Amino acid sequence: MNENVINNLKSESRWLRLLFMVVFYFAAYVVGMLLFLVAIIQVIHGFIKGSPNNRLLALSAGLNRYFYQVLQYITYNCNRKPYPFSDWPEGEASVDDKGDKLS
């Protein structure tokens, strides 16, 4: 075996990252289920009230950003660990295709 491969296999930081990747994968799964639930609630709210719920918009924006951060971490596109090792991502105001803010 190549000496570099052996050193990589012995690296604690790589094994620790693998552990974090598995934990964050399960966190992403839970967040994905929450996002699906929020989407269903938004559809129901839209039929009843005629517009999306602003609080759920803010919640889903934060969950979307967190989901993205987790995916970035587990695919090695980012080395910064997502929440709870960093701040919770703030959601942005939702806009439609025309750039208008959704209400």
Side-chain angles (χ1 to χ4, degrees):
M1 240 187 203
N2 186 345
E3 185 69 29
N4 192 23
V5 173
I6 293 172
N7 288 337
N8 286 337
L9 287 171
K10 292 179 181 179
S11 172
E12 285 184 31
S13 64
R14 293 191 189 278
W15 288 104
L16 189 58
R17 176 158 182 135
L18 176 63
L19 175 67
F20 279 121
M21 288 170 64
V22 170
V23 170
F24 282 122
Y25 170 80
F26 287 112
Y29 179 79
V30 171
V31 168
M33 296 303 286
L34 285 173
L35 285 169
F36 184 70
L37 181 63
V38 168
I40 291 171
I41 293 170
Q42 284 288 44
V43 167
I44 293 168
H45 191 272
F47 279 122
I48 294 171
K49 297 286 186 174
S51 64
N53 182 297
N54 289 330
R55 288 184 179 175
L56 288 178
L57 284 175
L59 172 66
S60 63
L63 289 173
N64 286 334
R65 289 177 150 276
Y66 180 69
F67 191 76
Y68 179 73
Q69 285 181 354
V70 169
L71 291 178
Q72 288 290 94
Y73 181 76
I74 65 176
T75 59
Y76 279 85
N77 286 303
C78 177
N79 287 324
R80 196 178 98 189
K81 292 181 198 75
Y83 180 84
F85 298 97
S86 61
D87 292 335
W88 179 260
E90 294 294 324
E92 293 179 352
S94 298
V95 294
D96 63 8
D97 294 337
K98 299 175 190 172
D100 297 327
K101 183 177 178 185
L102 295 175
S103 57

